[in-house]
Amino acid sequence: EEEEEEEDDADITGFSVENAYLDEKEDACDALGEISVNSGAAFMPYMESCFEEIFRITDYPHVNVRKSAYEAVGQLCCALYKVAQENPTDQNLEGFQKLLAMVFPNYLKTIHEEKDRLVVMTILESMNNVLKNCKGDALKEPGRLDEICKAIRNVLQKKTTCQDPENDETESDEEQEAEYDSMLLEYAGEGIPLLAAAVGGQIFAPYFAGFLPLLLSKTKPSCTVAEKSFAIGSIAETVQAIGPATVQFVPRLLPMLQAGARDTDDEVRSNSVFGIGVLAEQGKEAIFEHYPSLLSILSSIIAREQNRRVVDNVCGAVSRMMMTNLAGVPVEQVFPVLVRSL
């Protein structure tokens, strides 16, 4: 009898139940999250009770309910932060930190342990939204920056439970799984420049040094287009956020960006050209000696480029180089081409 029961349990693994009751929970979370961020101080009398009810169902069995709950608690954090900025009383500021003290540990634990990729994507997106809106005030708790960086690194290294093929309980096509894996990396990567912008370049530089080998490993010619585009885009945006602290990374980044600018894929090429521009802008004197070779690459691209986004990024890169070191750019030759390409 026990064997029969085990077989029956195995037969129902991976099944999910959908009904109006579950839809109502999901819709309620979505609605409360949106109302909170759009109501300002008027929502404050309901903040605590709403947060408690929504936070309580972040471990709900149904995936869609979990996703909506995780998104909503992040929106509640952003809503309270906005009110605290407008009315910085001790109660509002302490209330904001109190929410974060519950939400971030929950987010980070679930990123590591959750089996469903879509839930982890939702958490990463929600966490990025909190970082984008609350910036450094979201990272005041000692150790939180370290913990978030560790979680992002685990996703990039595919060490989380949802990225382990042995824990995949659903049957889905390989193409969809590959798309989800790619999206997971993108959501994780988006958090890197947001962290840099939140704490500043000097503080974040050592963390960026830790991420760099992982990101550079995804820019090799043997990597997929999606991996190269994601990695180069993440690096470029982080360089922009780090600012002058970028100088120490110039020797490692410049060869990669130059190679990427010659890639056959439009998006990889576009992200690389954007990266060249921000590296020149932030690297300043460390890039001056490379201006002739960079201008040669950009000139050869714009002479034959058909993709408008790439052309726009070439114009942006050249403009950044001119603003940073006008003496290093032959303006008489470059400016007419720049104007014609706008």
PDB file of all heavy atoms in Angstrom, residues 295-319:
ATOM      1  N   LEU A 295      39.202  55.719 -32.224  1.00  0.00           N
ATOM      2  CA  LEU A 295      38.566  56.503 -33.285  1.00  0.00           C
ATOM      3  C   LEU A 295      38.599  55.757 -34.606  1.00  0.00           C
ATOM      4  O   LEU A 295      37.657  55.846 -35.410  1.00  0.00           O
ATOM      5  CB  LEU A 295      39.258  57.859 -33.418  1.00  0.00           C
ATOM      6  CG  LEU A 295      38.989  58.854 -32.281  1.00  0.00           C
ATOM      7  CD1 LEU A 295      39.913  60.054 -32.395  1.00  0.00           C
ATOM      8  CD2 LEU A 295      37.528  59.297 -32.286  1.00  0.00           C
ATOM      9  N   SER A 296      39.658  54.988 -34.837  1.00  0.00           N
ATOM     10  CA  SER A 296      39.754  54.181 -36.057  1.00  0.00           C
ATOM     11  C   SER A 296      38.664  53.116 -36.087  1.00  0.00           C
ATOM     12  O   SER A 296      38.012  52.897 -37.123  1.00  0.00           O
ATOM     13  CB  SER A 296      41.139  53.531 -36.136  1.00  0.00           C
ATOM     14  OG  SER A 296      41.219  52.655 -37.246  1.00  0.00           O
ATOM     15  N   ILE A 297      38.459  52.463 -34.940  1.00  0.00           N
ATOM     16  CA  ILE A 297      37.410  51.433 -34.849  1.00  0.00           C
ATOM     17  C   ILE A 297      36.032  52.050 -35.063  1.00  0.00           C
ATOM     18  O   ILE A 297      35.217  51.546 -35.849  1.00  0.00           O
ATOM     19  CB  ILE A 297      37.460  50.735 -33.468  1.00  0.00           C
ATOM     20  CG1 ILE A 297      38.733  49.891 -33.338  1.00  0.00           C
ATOM     21  CG2 ILE A 297      36.215  49.862 -33.260  1.00  0.00           C
ATOM     22  CD1 ILE A 297      38.957  49.347 -31.936  1.00  0.00           C
ATOM     23  N   LEU A 298      35.768  53.162 -34.385  1.00  0.00           N
ATOM     24  CA  LEU A 298      34.463  53.816 -34.484  1.00  0.00           C
ATOM     25  C   LEU A 298      34.214  54.345 -35.889  1.00  0.00           C
ATOM     26  O   LEU A 298      33.090  54.295 -36.402  1.00  0.00           O
ATOM     27  CB  LEU A 298      34.360  54.944 -33.454  1.00  0.00           C
ATOM     28  CG  LEU A 298      34.427  54.504 -31.984  1.00  0.00           C
ATOM     29  CD1 LEU A 298      34.455  55.718 -31.060  1.00  0.00           C
ATOM     30  CD2 LEU A 298      33.253  53.598 -31.625  1.00  0.00           C
ATOM     31  N   SER A 299      35.275  54.841 -36.526  1.00  0.00           N
ATOM     32  CA  SER A 299      35.148  55.355 -37.892  1.00  0.00           C
ATOM     33  C   SER A 299      34.799  54.242 -38.876  1.00  0.00           C
ATOM     34  O   SER A 299      33.946  54.403 -39.753  1.00  0.00           O
ATOM     35  CB  SER A 299      36.464  56.024 -38.315  1.00  0.00           C
ATOM     36  OG  SER A 299      36.410  56.431 -39.662  1.00  0.00           O
ATOM     37  N   SER A 300      35.446  53.094 -38.718  1.00  0.00           N
ATOM     38  CA  SER A 300      35.173  51.965 -39.622  1.00  0.00           C
ATOM     39  C   SER A 300      33.757  51.430 -39.430  1.00  0.00           C
ATOM     40  O   SER A 300      33.120  50.974 -40.375  1.00  0.00           O
ATOM     41  CB  SER A 300      36.197  50.851 -39.405  1.00  0.00           C
ATOM     42  OG  SER A 300      36.073  50.295 -38.099  1.00  0.00           O
ATOM     43  N   ILE A 301      33.243  51.510 -38.187  1.00  0.00           N
ATOM     44  CA  ILE A 301      31.880  51.048 -37.911  1.00  0.00           C
ATOM     45  C   ILE A 301      30.874  51.980 -38.577  1.00  0.00           C
ATOM     46  O   ILE A 301      29.967  51.530 -39.286  1.00  0.00           O
ATOM     47  CB  ILE A 301      31.613  50.975 -36.390  1.00  0.00           C
ATOM     48  CG1 ILE A 301      32.446  49.875 -35.741  1.00  0.00           C
ATOM     49  CG2 ILE A 301      30.125  50.724 -36.120  1.00  0.00           C
ATOM     50  CD1 ILE A 301      32.357  49.848 -34.231  1.00  0.00           C
ATOM     51  N   ILE A 302      31.029  53.276 -38.347  1.00  0.00           N
ATOM     52  CA  ILE A 302      30.024  54.227 -38.842  1.00  0.00           C
ATOM     53  C   ILE A 302      30.017  54.316 -40.360  1.00  0.00           C
ATOM     54  O   ILE A 302      29.010  54.679 -40.973  1.00  0.00           O
ATOM     55  CB  ILE A 302      30.258  55.618 -38.201  1.00  0.00           C
ATOM     56  CG1 ILE A 302      28.932  56.382 -38.128  1.00  0.00           C
ATOM     57  CG2 ILE A 302      31.315  56.417 -38.950  1.00  0.00           C
ATOM     58  CD1 ILE A 302      28.967  57.579 -37.215  1.00  0.00           C
ATOM     59  N   ALA A 303      31.125  53.940 -40.992  1.00  0.00           N
ATOM     60  CA  ALA A 303      31.208  53.993 -42.462  1.00  0.00           C
ATOM     61  C   ALA A 303      30.326  52.955 -43.128  1.00  0.00           C
ATOM     62  O   ALA A 303      29.873  53.147 -44.266  1.00  0.00           O
ATOM     63  CB  ALA A 303      32.656  53.814 -42.903  1.00  0.00           C
ATOM     64  N   ARG A 304      30.051  51.843 -42.424  1.00  0.00           N
ATOM     65  CA  ARG A 304      29.295  50.764 -43.059  1.00  0.00           C
ATOM     66  C   ARG A 304      28.072  50.318 -42.256  1.00  0.00           C
ATOM     67  O   ARG A 304      27.311  49.458 -42.700  1.00  0.00           O
ATOM     68  CB  ARG A 304      30.216  49.565 -43.291  1.00  0.00           C
ATOM     69  CG  ARG A 304      30.745  48.941 -42.010  1.00  0.00           C
ATOM     70  CD  ARG A 304      31.562  47.689 -42.270  1.00  0.00           C
ATOM     71  NE  ARG A 304      31.919  46.996 -41.043  1.00  0.00           N
ATOM     72  CZ  ARG A 304      32.932  47.305 -40.254  1.00  0.00           C
ATOM     73  NH1 ARG A 304      33.729  48.324 -40.570  1.00  0.00           N
ATOM     74  NH2 ARG A 304      33.178  46.621 -39.147  1.00  0.00           N
ATOM     75  N   GLU A 305      27.883  50.892 -41.072  1.00  0.00           N
ATOM     76  CA  GLU A 305      26.839  50.406 -40.161  1.00  0.00           C
ATOM     77  C   GLU A 305      25.430  50.706 -40.670  1.00  0.00           C
ATOM     78  O   GLU A 305      25.128  51.822 -41.103  1.00  0.00           O
ATOM     79  CB  GLU A 305      27.029  51.037 -38.770  1.00  0.00           C
ATOM     80  CG  GLU A 305      26.088  50.491 -37.710  1.00  0.00           C
ATOM     81  CD  GLU A 305      26.241  48.993 -37.504  1.00  0.00           C
ATOM     82  OE1 GLU A 305      27.351  48.538 -37.197  1.00  0.00           O
ATOM     83  OE2 GLU A 305      25.218  48.286 -37.664  1.00  0.00           O
ATOM     84  N   GLN A 306      24.562  49.705 -40.597  1.00  0.00           N
ATOM     85  CA  GLN A 306      23.166  49.845 -41.013  1.00  0.00           C
ATOM     86  C   GLN A 306      22.209  49.965 -39.816  1.00  0.00           C
ATOM     87  O   GLN A 306      21.113  50.496 -39.947  1.00  0.00           O
ATOM     88  CB  GLN A 306      22.754  48.634 -41.874  1.00  0.00           C
ATOM     89  CG  GLN A 306      23.576  48.472 -43.146  1.00  0.00           C
ATOM     90  CD  GLN A 306      23.423  49.628 -44.097  1.00  0.00           C
ATOM     91  OE1 GLN A 306      22.307  50.087 -44.345  1.00  0.00           O
ATOM     92  NE2 GLN A 306      24.536  50.133 -44.630  1.00  0.00           N
ATOM     93  N   ASN A 307      22.640  49.463 -38.672  1.00  0.00           N
ATOM     94  CA  ASN A 307      21.775  49.464 -37.497  1.00  0.00           C
ATOM     95  C   ASN A 307      21.804  50.843 -36.816  1.00  0.00           C
ATOM     96  O   ASN A 307      22.864  51.328 -36.414  1.00  0.00           O
ATOM     97  CB  ASN A 307      22.245  48.373 -36.515  1.00  0.00           C
ATOM     98  CG  ASN A 307      21.334  48.236 -35.314  1.00  0.00           C
ATOM     99  OD1 ASN A 307      21.377  49.029 -34.384  1.00  0.00           O
ATOM    100  ND2 ASN A 307      20.490  47.214 -35.335  1.00  0.00           N
ATOM    101  N   ARG A 308      20.637  51.475 -36.685  1.00  0.00           N
ATOM    102  CA  ARG A 308      20.569  52.829 -36.150  1.00  0.00           C
ATOM    103  C   ARG A 308      21.012  52.916 -34.699  1.00  0.00           C
ATOM    104  O   ARG A 308      21.622  53.907 -34.273  1.00  0.00           O
ATOM    105  CB  ARG A 308      19.144  53.375 -36.259  1.00  0.00           C
ATOM    106  CG  ARG A 308      18.735  53.806 -37.636  1.00  0.00           C
ATOM    107  CD  ARG A 308      19.659  54.855 -38.232  1.00  0.00           C
ATOM    108  NE  ARG A 308      19.953  55.964 -37.331  1.00  0.00           N
ATOM    109  CZ  ARG A 308      20.813  56.925 -37.589  1.00  0.00           C
ATOM    110  NH1 ARG A 308      21.508  56.902 -38.724  1.00  0.00           N
ATOM    111  NH2 ARG A 308      21.030  57.913 -36.734  1.00  0.00           N
ATOM    112  N   ARG A 309      20.716  51.884 -33.929  1.00  0.00           N
ATOM    113  CA  ARG A 309      21.112  51.911 -32.522  1.00  0.00           C
ATOM    114  C   ARG A 309      22.638  51.922 -32.394  1.00  0.00           C
ATOM    115  O   ARG A 309      23.193  52.626 -31.555  1.00  0.00           O
ATOM    116  CB  ARG A 309      20.516  50.708 -31.783  1.00  0.00           C
ATOM    117  CG  ARG A 309      20.771  50.742 -30.281  1.00  0.00           C
ATOM    118  CD  ARG A 309      20.147  49.544 -29.604  1.00  0.00           C
ATOM    119  NE  ARG A 309      20.496  49.493 -28.195  1.00  0.00           N
ATOM    120  CZ  ARG A 309      20.252  48.456 -27.408  1.00  0.00           C
ATOM    121  NH1 ARG A 309      19.639  47.388 -27.893  1.00  0.00           N
ATOM    122  NH2 ARG A 309      20.594  48.470 -26.146  1.00  0.00           N
ATOM    123  N   VAL A 310      23.299  51.137 -33.226  1.00  0.00           N
ATOM    124  CA  VAL A 310      24.768  51.111 -33.202  1.00  0.00           C
ATOM    125  C   VAL A 310      25.312  52.478 -33.612  1.00  0.00           C
ATOM    126  O   VAL A 310      26.236  53.008 -32.985  1.00  0.00           O
ATOM    127  CB  VAL A 310      25.319  50.003 -34.125  1.00  0.00           C
ATOM    128  CG1 VAL A 310      26.846  50.028 -34.115  1.00  0.00           C
ATOM    129  CG2 VAL A 310      24.814  48.623 -33.689  1.00  0.00           C
ATOM    130  N   VAL A 311      24.734  53.059 -34.665  1.00  0.00           N
ATOM    131  CA  VAL A 311      25.169  54.379 -35.127  1.00  0.00           C
ATOM    132  C   VAL A 311      24.997  55.418 -34.020  1.00  0.00           C
ATOM    133  O   VAL A 311      25.882  56.245 -33.776  1.00  0.00           O
ATOM    134  CB  VAL A 311      24.379  54.803 -36.389  1.00  0.00           C
ATOM    135  CG1 VAL A 311      24.681  56.268 -36.752  1.00  0.00           C
ATOM    136  CG2 VAL A 311      24.709  53.896 -37.568  1.00  0.00           C
ATOM    137  N   ASP A 312      23.852  55.377 -33.344  1.00  0.00           N
ATOM    138  CA  ASP A 312      23.607  56.318 -32.239  1.00  0.00           C
ATOM    139  C   ASP A 312      24.654  56.175 -31.147  1.00  0.00           C
ATOM    140  O   ASP A 312      25.131  57.169 -30.590  1.00  0.00           O
ATOM    141  CB  ASP A 312      22.211  56.088 -31.644  1.00  0.00           C
ATOM    142  CG  ASP A 312      21.101  56.563 -32.571  1.00  0.00           C
ATOM    143  OD1 ASP A 312      21.407  57.298 -33.540  1.00  0.00           O
ATOM    144  OD2 ASP A 312      19.933  56.198 -32.340  1.00  0.00           O
ATOM    145  N   ASN A 313      25.013  54.930 -30.831  1.00  0.00           N
ATOM    146  CA  ASN A 313      26.011  54.703 -29.789  1.00  0.00           C
ATOM    147  C   ASN A 313      27.412  55.115 -30.231  1.00  0.00           C
ATOM    148  O   ASN A 313      28.234  55.540 -29.408  1.00  0.00           O
ATOM    149  CB  ASN A 313      25.998  53.240 -29.334  1.00  0.00           C
ATOM    150  CG  ASN A 313      24.909  52.966 -28.308  1.00  0.00           C
ATOM    151  OD1 ASN A 313      24.456  53.879 -27.616  1.00  0.00           O
ATOM    152  ND2 ASN A 313      24.479  51.719 -28.196  1.00  0.00           N
ATOM    153  N   VAL A 314      27.707  55.006 -31.535  1.00  0.00           N
ATOM    154  CA  VAL A 314      28.983  55.513 -32.048  1.00  0.00           C
ATOM    155  C   VAL A 314      29.032  57.032 -31.868  1.00  0.00           C
ATOM    156  O   VAL A 314      30.039  57.584 -31.398  1.00  0.00           O
ATOM    157  CB  VAL A 314      29.177  55.145 -33.535  1.00  0.00           C
ATOM    158  CG1 VAL A 314      30.380  55.895 -34.113  1.00  0.00           C
ATOM    159  CG2 VAL A 314      29.385  53.645 -33.691  1.00  0.00           C
ATOM    160  N   CYS A 315      27.937  57.696 -32.217  1.00  0.00           N
ATOM    161  CA  CYS A 315      27.877  59.154 -32.047  1.00  0.00           C
ATOM    162  C   CYS A 315      28.036  59.533 -30.575  1.00  0.00           C
ATOM    163  O   CYS A 315      28.752  60.492 -30.246  1.00  0.00           O
ATOM    164  CB  CYS A 315      26.546  59.693 -32.581  1.00  0.00           C
ATOM    165  SG  CYS A 315      26.350  59.557 -34.371  1.00  0.00           S
ATOM    166  N   GLY A 316      27.397  58.754 -29.705  1.00  0.00           N
ATOM    167  CA  GLY A 316      27.517  59.013 -28.273  1.00  0.00           C
ATOM    168  C   GLY A 316      28.934  58.810 -27.770  1.00  0.00           C
ATOM    169  O   GLY A 316      29.444  59.596 -26.963  1.00  0.00           O
ATOM    170  N   ALA A 317      29.584  57.748 -28.250  1.00  0.00           N
ATOM    171  CA  ALA A 317      30.954  57.450 -27.819  1.00  0.00           C
ATOM    172  C   ALA A 317      31.922  58.546 -28.267  1.00  0.00           C
ATOM    173  O   ALA A 317      32.759  59.006 -27.485  1.00  0.00           O
ATOM    174  CB  ALA A 317      31.393  56.092 -28.373  1.00  0.00           C
ATOM    175  N   VAL A 318      31.799  58.969 -29.520  1.00  0.00           N
ATOM    176  CA  VAL A 318      32.679  60.022 -30.026  1.00  0.00           C
ATOM    177  C   VAL A 318      32.446  61.329 -29.270  1.00  0.00           C
ATOM    178  O   VAL A 318      33.396  62.047 -28.928  1.00  0.00           O
ATOM    179  CB  VAL A 318      32.461  60.229 -31.542  1.00  0.00           C
ATOM    180  CG1 VAL A 318      33.255  61.432 -32.036  1.00  0.00           C
ATOM    181  CG2 VAL A 318      32.875  58.981 -32.316  1.00  0.00           C
ATOM    182  N   SER A 319      31.186  61.627 -28.991  1.00  0.00           N
ATOM    183  CA  SER A 319      30.864  62.849 -28.241  1.00  0.00           C
ATOM    184  C   SER A 319      31.466  62.807 -26.842  1.00  0.00           C
ATOM    185  O   SER A 319      32.006  63.818 -26.355  1.00  0.00           O
ATOM    186  CB  SER A 319      29.350  63.022 -28.153  1.00  0.00           C
ATOM    187  OG  SER A 319      28.773  63.163 -29.433  1.00  0.00           O
TER     188      SER A 319
END
